[in-house]
Amino acid sequence: MEEMHYGSDYKFIPATSIGSGIGILVLPDVYCYTVQIVNICFVGSPETGDFVLIDAGMPDSAEDIISVTEERFGANSRPKAIILTHGHFDHVGSVIDLVKHWDVPVYAHQMELPFLTGQKSYPDPDPTVEGGMVAKMSPIFPNEPIDLGNHVKVLPSDGTVPHLAGFKWYHTPGHAPGQIALFREKDRTLIAGDAFVTVKQEYLYKVFTQEQEISGPPRYLTTDWKAAKESVHQLYALKPEVAVTGHGLPMSGELLSTSLYKLVREFDSIATPDYGKYVN
Ligand SMILES: [Zn+2]
Ligand SMILES: [Zn+2]
């Protein structure tokens, strides 16, 4: 297997939440699990053993992710593929260990590939952005690219998602250039990545308690607020019934539709920071 590596600034990040280590069965075939402060999602049924993993958690969490996988899908089970919503450190933190252990392909949007093949760093996180302690500590967050070599593949251009029948991917840039969301029409299930989240991710206390509150994308890493706003509009137009977001608890039904409507209407005040180096 060719040499893969993480960014040289990758390290364990000491941040956690009361949800860490807890799994929630959102739907019979959608299982959401929290790694410290970020969610990963298993889609597929334990009966057939056919499943994929969406995102790959924090740095140093591979062992935890493998044991959660085996608890749910059986000893030595492995996903058919890993689908990345985007390449930020908290979504790819353990992906190389997982690929080495499982030998499965990883899929991402074309525009995220430079960050996944060692070519380009993400812009530096912005500690000056309006927000709390998590924003202030964001300079310790890794932003160098990982290198998955030829283990990462581009998502099909027709919108289908490999090994995930019924789902389509949607390009939702703004928070990251090649961020995607996954949506299943049949039951209006949305896996939103960080296009919007259900916790105020900039605030340590709210992250810790996981207090549920609709929010735009995490501010310290979002560089294009105009695109971020359009992406939220796009996802709102899908009228999701259930949403699993990259951070925070899953949200559904009336609470989801009213919260998303509020976020769309008041995006500039709820989501866009009043100040920060990526505003304007
Ligand atoms: Zn992100
Ligand atoms: Zn994130």
Side-chain angles (χ1 to χ4, degrees), residues 86 88 90-91 175 194 221:
H86 61 304
H88 284 156
D90 49 337
H91 298 254
H175 176 65
D194 286 354
L221 289 174

Side-chain angles (χ1 to χ4, degrees), residues 29-200:
D29 68 343
V30 177
Y31 183 68
C32 173
Y33 178 81
T34 306
V35 179
Q36 294 178 256
I37 57 163
V38 72
N39 299 322
I40 59 173
C41 197
F42 298 89
V43 184
S45 105
E47 278 85 70
T48 63
D50 270 358
F51 66 100
V52 303
L53 173 62
I54 319 293
D55 286 345
M58 298 284 279
D60 275 349
S61 63
E63 241 176 77
D64 184 27
I65 293 173
I66 291 164
S67 77
V68 169
T69 305
E70 298 199 353
E71 253 167 56
R72 176 155 172 79
F73 295 96
N76 300 316
S77 56
R78 67 188 60 199
K80 291 276 188 281
I82 299 170
I83 316 283
L84 298 176
T85 60
H86 61 304
H88 284 156
F89 77 98
D90 49 337
H91 298 254
V92 303
S94 293
V95 70
I96 289 174
D97 302 81
L98 296 175
V99 167
K100 282 182 179 162
H101 185 80
W102 285 329
D103 190 22
V104 295
V106 180
Y107 290 91
H109 189 274
Q110 172 91 55
M111 292 182 76
E112 241 13 44
L113 250 57
F115 311 107
L116 301 170
T117 53
Q119 294 169 52
K120 198 174 169 193
S121 292
Y122 285 107
D124 288 328
D126 179 11
T128 69
V129 75
E130 180 199 359
M133 263 318 284
V134 178
K136 306 265 178 292
M137 71 188 274
S138 65
I140 71 165
F141 295 163
N143 69 324
E144 286 179 21
I146 64 166
D147 191 354
L148 281 161
N150 58 15
H151 297 275
V152 61
K153 299 174 186 349
V154 176
L155 283 161
S157 55
D158 64 1
T160 58
V161 185
H163 306 290
L164 210 48
F167 276 88
K168 291 232 157 184
W169 64 263
Y170 292 78
H171 186 204
T172 53
H175 176 65
Q179 182 172 245
I180 58 149
L182 303 166
F183 182 68
R184 180 165 65 189
E185 178 95 47
K186 184 181 69 176
D187 56 2
R188 316 207 79 75
T189 300
L190 176 68
I191 298 167
D194 286 354
F196 68 90
V197 298
T198 60
V199 63
K200 288 257 178 221

